[in-house]
Amino acid sequence: MANARIRLIQPTVELHDAFLECAFEFGSGHRDGFATDSLTDEDLKDRATFAAWIATRLSYADETTLLPPDRVHDTLSWIVDEREPQRILGSISLRHRLNDFLLQVGGHIGYGVRPSARRKGVATAALTLALDQAKALGLRQALITCQDDNTASARTIERNGGALEDIRETPDHGTVRRYWVQLN
């Protein structure tokens, strides 16, 4: 992946098989930034359910879409190398606003890179692009969080200008590092 040219693309049903390959590479672990928590692996495999999920996720980026009270508008993108755009390397979610949960735990941006693409600069490049999206939305700063023991993610955030605000214990999500990135 040397000299990768990372891009963020809009999710599409045409990349269903590539998405499954990427998502299932995580095994039974959580897929940060994928926004698949409401779906089972069987749901993801079903083409009709997957297509409906994509349509719903794309609607979340539209500020006029009415959302459930516990949700915020967000832009979900898939991470690809432009030289191999049919292979999804990961996923990244940019939340347009923070609710209380996101302020405490989740932040403005969540991301995950498939295990075979890690340690190659993919997360750093993707986060840079997501921060550009955040700036384009008018955000002046972005909160990005990671688990305290996730040193790779902490380095990625710090490479993108993240200033550590604090490290907190949370009731359901362990110890979380909270960083702010200034966008202006």
Side-chain angles (χ1 to χ4, degrees), residues 72-93:
V72 298
H73 291 96
D74 74 297
T75 302
L76 181 66
S77 300
W78 290 343
I79 306 165
V80 299
D81 181 330
E82 67 184 24
R83 294 169 304 174
E84 197 178 359
Q86 300 299 308
R87 181 173 185 254
I88 298 170
L89 303 176
S91 187
I92 195 161
S93 177

Side-chain angles (χ1 to χ4, degrees), residues 56-101:
T56 299
R57 294 305 309 155
L58 293 177
S59 76
Y60 276 33
D62 180 351
E63 293 283 337
T64 64
T65 300
L66 294 176
L67 301 178
D70 63 332
R71 297 286 177 181
V72 298
H73 291 96
D74 74 297
T75 302
L76 181 66
S77 300
W78 290 343
I79 306 165
V80 299
D81 181 330
E82 67 184 24
R83 294 169 304 174
E84 197 178 359
Q86 300 299 308
R87 181 173 185 254
I88 298 170
L89 303 176
S91 187
I92 195 161
S93 177
L94 167 62
R95 293 96 181 201
H96 301 186
R97 281 172 205 69
L98 298 175
N99 59 22
D100 189 55
F101 170 78

Side-chain angles (χ1 to χ4, degrees), residues 126-141:
L127 182 55
T128 299
L129 294 170
L131 288 167
D132 289 343
Q133 288 179 337
K135 191 173 184 178
L137 281 173
L139 296 179
R140 298 178 60 166
Q141 60 182 357

Side-chain angles (χ1 to χ4, degrees), residues 153-173:
S153 191
R155 280 194 310 270
T156 295
I157 297 165
E158 291 164 1
R159 279 189 206 110
N160 274 282
L164 182 65
E165 179 178 66
D166 60 23
I167 300 170
R168 348 182 132 169
E169 274 304 315
T170 64
D172 299 320
H173 299 281

Side-chain angles (χ1 to χ4, degrees), residues 9-16 19 34-36 38-39 43-44 46-61 74 76-78 88 91:
I9 64 168
Q10 188 175 65
T12 175
V13 295
E14 285 77 21
L15 292 177
H16 183 229
F19 178 84
F34 278 72
T36 58
S38 64
L39 299 174
D43 289 337
L44 289 174
D46 181 77
R47 289 193 181 276
T49 303
F50 183 78
W53 173 75
I54 291 285
T56 299
R57 294 305 309 155
L58 293 177
S59 76
Y60 276 33
D74 74 297
L76 181 66
S77 300
W78 290 343
I88 298 170
S91 187

